[in-house]
């Protein structure tokens, strides 16, 4: 049987592994940071009606500029944004791919701060962009001084800042983002996939866009909007940046069905985001109770918690899976990651984790 090594793929892709998390059907799936709360029934009915109406016109190509969707996204984000400053694609991963296609490529580099979202390196490889993973401070924090030092040392063409960071959950201060944006020669992307889960009052990097034409802020509807299956990501930036992304996107890359579904979700933004407070409460509960069990949960502004102090992460992962609970191994020594789900899902996870509690509490 022909293997991947037998095919004439690009040399820089040899030996790499595709992105992926375990896909298993279990009663409690808390491994990929989805919003585990279902879409409200009345909202679902409206989305279905909008999609059904769009089906009638599927013989025609969709609006290539997705003007109505960009208008709705600008309205949702606020900050005096206008539709000309918005972009969207099939998930925030495709948005980031467009950015790397436009501003990265052969002979150029992208820089992030590891550990961070593994797709950054994979997207860089796929676009022929060199990937640089700079170091963070202790406990996965990132200070302005550390970040700017890396920018000055590597002079990247693209900087990718994950705020809050995945897989650690670490919040990123506006001071650090502003310092990087002002120090970098290239474009700076702030990936705010989990921004809606940040503590109330936490400012967004959107407040920094004015006067910074090379700063880009990406979001997704997969997390807080409970819309992971719809695949809708978006980005806010200067209109010139949006023009650059048009150069690399595929024709009609957002289907009429995707646009209709996204418009339906945005029309009910308040209802769609009503469960965010509950998810945040479960995140804090996980942090509090894991600490009480003797684990070391890290600071999180996302809908998940990274925790250390696990003697054998793989053994714990497998034992939880045997109980129908799926969390995430992320390759950090002594650590596992869990999504904040419903109250019942959180209870099942915490009760199971009590079996693996370290002998010495983390806060002792």
């Amino acid at each position: 049987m022909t293997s991947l090594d037998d095919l004439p793929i690009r040399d820089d892709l040899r030996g790499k592994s595709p992105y992926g998390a375990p896909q298993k059907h279990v009663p409690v799936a808390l491994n990929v940071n989805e919003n585990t709360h279902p879409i409200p029934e009345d909202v679902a009915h409206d989305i279905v009606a909008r999609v059904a109406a769009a089906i009638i016109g599927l013989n025609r190509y969709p609006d290539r500029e997705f003007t109505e969707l960009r208008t709705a996204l600008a309205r949702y984000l606020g900050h005096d944004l206008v539709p000309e400053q918005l972009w969207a694609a099939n998930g925030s991963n495709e948005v980031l791919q467009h950015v790397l296609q436009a501003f990265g490529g052969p002979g150029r580099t992208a820089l992030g701060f590891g550990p961070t979202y593994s797709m950054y390196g994979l997207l860089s490889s796929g676009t022929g962009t060199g990937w640089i993973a700079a170091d963070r401070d202790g406990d996965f924090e990132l200070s302005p001084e550390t970040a700017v030092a890396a920018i000055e040392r590597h002079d990247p063409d693209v900087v990718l800042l994950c705020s809050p960071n995945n897989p650690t959950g670490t919040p990123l201060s506006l001071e650090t983002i502003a310092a990087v944006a002002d120090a970098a020669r290239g474009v700076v992307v702030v990936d705010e996939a989990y921004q809606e889960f940040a503590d109330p009052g936490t400012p967004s990097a959107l407040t920094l866009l004015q006067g910074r034409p090379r700063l880009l802020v990406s979001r997704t509807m997969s997390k807080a909007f409970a819309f992971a299956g719809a695949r809708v990501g978006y980005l806010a930036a200067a209109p010139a940046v949006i023009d650059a992304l048009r150069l690399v996107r595929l024709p009609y890359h957002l289907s009429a069905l995707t646009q209709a579904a996204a418009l339906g979700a945005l029309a009910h933004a308040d209802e769609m985001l009503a469960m965010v407070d509950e998810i945040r409460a479960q995140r804090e509960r996980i942090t509090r109770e894991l600490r009480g069990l003797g684990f070391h949960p890290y600071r999180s502004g996302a809908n998940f918690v990274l925790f250390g102090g696990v003697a054998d992460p793989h053994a714990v992962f497998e034992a939880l899976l045997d109980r129908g609970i799926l969390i995430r191994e992320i390759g950090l020594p002594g650590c596992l990651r869990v999504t904040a789900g419903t109250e019942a899902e959180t209870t099942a996870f915490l009760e199971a984790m009590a079996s693996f509690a370290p002998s010495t509490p983390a806060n002792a």
Side-chain angles (χ1 to χ4, degrees):
M1 180 180 295
T2 300
S3 71
L4 185 61
D5 290 336
D6 298 320
L7 297 176
I9 65 171
R10 288 170 16 203
D11 291 339
D12 61 333
L13 295 181
R14 290 194 181 279
K16 296 186 180 297
S17 299
Y19 176 84
Q23 296 191 87
K24 299 178 183 295
H25 296 288
V26 295
V28 181
L30 301 173
N31 67 320
V32 289
N33 303 338
E34 297 160 322
N35 184 336
T36 65
H37 295 68
I39 293 175
E41 186 173 353
D42 61 326
V43 177
H45 286 311
D46 186 36
I47 292 173
V48 168
R50 290 169 183 260
V51 171
I55 288 175
I56 298 173
L58 288 186
N59 59 309
R60 300 289 189 180
Y61 285 115
D63 176 8
R64 184 177 59 246
E65 298 301 322
F66 44 98
T67 306
E68 189 177 358
L69 177 56
R70 291 164 70 193
T71 301
L73 288 169
R75 186 183 308 116
Y76 167 68
L77 289 178
H79 294 86
D80 296 322
L81 293 169
V82 295
E84 291 76 17
Q85 291 179 269
L86 271 295
W87 188 250
N90 292 283
S92 60
N93 289 323
E94 187 177 50
V95 171
L96 297 176
Q97 183 180 57
H98 287 165
V99 172
L100 286 164
Q101 286 175 313
F103 298 101
R108 296 191 172 197
T109 57
L111 180 142
F113 295 87
T116 193
Y117 185 33
S118 61
M119 274 304 299
Y120 295 160
L122 292 172
L123 289 169
S124 296
S125 294
T127 57
T129 309
W131 171 244
I132 301 168
D135 293 330
R136 291 177 172 270
D137 300 309
D139 284 342
F140 309 117
E141 302 286 342
L142 184 60
S143 67
E145 295 78 14
T146 296
V148 170
I151 300 300
E152 293 175 345
R153 181 164 58 252
H154 297 289
D155 188 29
D157 298 279
V158 180
V159 181
L160 294 163
L161 298 174
C162 198
S163 176
N165 187 51
N166 178 17
T168 65
T170 318
L172 187 63
S173 71
L174 278 190
E175 289 77 13
T176 296
I177 295 171
V180 169
D182 294 341
R185 171 185 54 81
V187 299
V188 176
V189 184
V190 184
D191 181 356
E192 290 191 338
Y194 300 95
Q195 177 65 25
E196 284 93 346
F197 299 107
D199 292 334
T202 301
S204 164
L206 293 169
T207 61
L208 300 175
L209 285 177
Q210 185 66 34
R212 291 183 173 92
R214 289 174 289 104
L215 180 63
L216 294 61
V217 181
S218 72
R219 294 275 188 98
T220 182
M221 296 184 73
S222 294
K223 310 300 182 184
F225 270 87
F227 229 47
R231 309 306 302 129
V232 182
Y234 55 100
L235 174 149
V241 170
I242 307 306
D243 287 340
L245 302 184
R246 283 193 180 90
L247 298 174
V248 297
R249 59 96 177 268
L250 293 174
Y252 309 104
H253 69 287
L254 274 179
S255 76
L257 302 183
T258 298
Q259 293 182 45
L263 285 166
L266 288 165
H268 298 274
D270 289 344
E271 291 173 80
M272 295 289 278
L273 298 177
M275 70 279 284
V276 167
D277 285 342
E278 167 63 16
I279 294 169
R280 194 184 293 117
Q282 295 306 315
R283 179 192 73 200
E284 296 308 310
R285 178 188 171 201
I286 291 170
T287 297
R288 181 176 61 253
E289 296 194 24
L290 283 179
R291 184 177 292 115
L293 289 172
F295 296 101
H296 177 66
Y298 291 91
R299 193 165 73 103
S300 176
N303 69 331
F304 58 85
V305 176
L306 173 74
F307 59 99
V310 185
D312 188 339
H314 184 67
V316 173
F317 171 85
E318 291 292 344
L320 291 175
L321 187 57
D322 288 342
R323 302 185 192 193
I325 302 169
L326 181 61
I327 63 172
R328 187 73 174 266
E329 289 185 277
I330 57 172
L332 291 176
C335 292
L336 290 168
R337 191 191 72 191
V338 61
T339 302
T342 63
E343 182 178 4
E345 290 169 332
T346 299
T347 297
F349 164 72
L350 290 170
E351 288 179 348
M353 284 303 299
S355 304
F356 310 102
S359 56
T360 304
N363 57 354

